Amino acid sequence: MNSSPLFDYQTAHRFFAVDCSTRAWELMSKPNRTPEEDESMVLQTVTSYWHWTQRDDATPTNLSEGLWQLSRVYSLVKNERSAQIFAQKCLDLSEKNDVEPFYIGYAHEAMARAALIRGDHEQAQRHLLLGLQALHNVTDNDDKQLLHSDLYEIQMRLP
């Protein structure tokens, strides 16, 4: 019996990293998810991130994005602890690897959002301001608008 797979592992990791992330995004955008969809969204995001960690071409930017998505998904399902853990990992990785300001801004957005869901308005405000500082260094207009929109959403939820 041949135990060799009929596929290339790196090709499979590339496919599933992106496919699972895309499917999670679709659920993240859905306004009224069922509990089953919430569970699927979390599982898709975890699976996507794991596949990114297995890719030989994954960059710190790719991993930052995956960690951000994990934090956002856990924020959406109100899992305060996991939202905070992955936001902090995102920020640490992003700062350590000097990723583009857009990703630094989103790392702070994740930290602010995680703080907001646990009711820590002081930390949410702190990371909102740091995210806005990073926003000033974003050069792509579409990226700038996207980050601004998410930071503004957090700002509107603060007292």
Side-chain angles (χ1 to χ4, degrees):
M1 176 176 214
N2 185 357
S3 63
S4 297
L6 300 175
F7 56 87
D8 173 67
Y9 280 108
Q10 285 301 305
T11 301
H13 291 310
R14 279 191 287 282
F15 174 81
F16 286 113
V18 174
D19 184 66
C20 291
S21 176
T22 301
R23 289 172 186 258
W25 267 107
E26 290 168 2
L27 290 169
M28 289 166 67
S29 315
K30 191 173 178 185
N32 297 309
R33 289 178 309 276
T34 65
E36 293 79 14
E37 289 171 324
D38 279 348
E39 182 178 7
S40 179
M41 179 179 65
V42 169
L43 292 172
Q44 291 282 355
T45 306
V46 170
T47 301
S48 171
Y49 183 72
W50 182 81
H51 281 287
W52 274 111
T53 67
Q54 303 306 300
R55 289 178 60 165
D56 56 14
D57 63 344
T59 65
T61 299
N62 299 136
L63 298 177
S64 174
E65 207 171 333
L67 289 165
W68 172 86
Q69 189 179 38
L70 280 163
S71 180
R72 173 62 75 90
V73 162
Y74 282 119
S75 290
L76 289 171
V77 299
K78 306 290 190 252
N79 183 325
E80 300 170 16
R81 186 171 188 277
S82 293
Q84 175 62 38
I85 288 169
F86 288 108
Q88 187 65 59
K89 285 178 182 255
C90 178
L91 181 59
D92 292 346
L93 179 134
S94 298
E95 289 181 339
K96 176 183 173 191
N97 291 283
D98 198 29
V99 298
E100 293 177 35
F102 176 73
Y103 297 97
I104 296 288
Y106 262 106
H108 284 292
E109 184 271 352
M111 291 291 290
R113 194 173 295 275
L116 193 62
I117 66 165
R118 65 175 191 276
D120 188 342
H121 296 150
E122 183 179 317
Q123 282 299 308
Q125 182 69 38
R126 177 176 170 270
H127 285 286
L128 173 64
L129 292 174
L130 290 168
L132 289 168
Q133 286 176 0
L135 178 67
H136 291 296
N137 297 317
V138 176
T139 55
D140 181 86
N141 286 332
D142 290 338
D143 287 349
K144 190 169 231 163
Q145 185 175 2
L146 187 63
L147 179 56
H148 179 268
S149 175
D150 280 333
L151 292 171
Y152 182 76
E153 177 193 334
I154 291 169
Q155 185 175 15
M156 292 297 98
R157 293 175 55 197
L158 284 168

